[in-house]
Amino acid sequence: PAFFYGIREYSEGAILSPHVDRKPYVISCIINVAQDTGDGDGDDDETAATEDWPLEVYGRDGLAINVTMEEGDMIMYESHSLIHGRPFALR
């Protein structure tokens, strides 16, 4: 079976505390569908992110890996066994 947790939209100041997912969520996929980066494309750049907001994933070796995603990127990871989050506030 497959489970869909839902689409999320984050705003300035958002933090996702490091955690592991509970079952039945074993593998997670994040797809960056859209983001406002203040690139002058006509979007409302007043609310645009001013810096990267990486996903932090801890490997089995205990070392953190920061993954910066751009619009259209996708990442899959073992969310039930690897600590992950976005511990720094979105700016």
Side-chain angles (χ1 to χ4, degrees), residues 3-84:
F3 296 89
F4 179 76
Y5 194 70
I7 295 174
R8 296 184 189 66
E9 182 176 336
Y10 295 99
S11 56
E12 185 175 353
I15 293 176
L16 180 60
S17 296
H19 65 284
V20 293
D21 292 345
R22 65 186 185 284
K23 288 186 177 181
Y25 306 107
V26 176
I27 296 174
S28 289
C29 174
I30 298 173
I31 302 171
N32 185 345
V33 176
Q35 68 186 39
D36 190 354
T37 57
D39 55 9
D41 62 2
D43 292 340
D44 184 7
D45 292 337
E46 291 178 11
T47 60
T50 57
E51 59 186 53
D52 292 333
W53 194 45
L55 173 69
E56 189 170 77
V57 180
Y58 285 85
R60 289 187 175 77
D61 58 4
L63 299 177
I65 299 169
N66 289 305
V67 180
T68 299
M69 300 177 70
E70 296 181 10
E71 196 169 303
D73 287 350
M74 178 179 80
I75 181 172
M76 293 181 75
Y77 58 98
E78 293 181 28
S79 59
H80 180 66
S81 60
L82 299 177
I83 297 171
H84 60 281

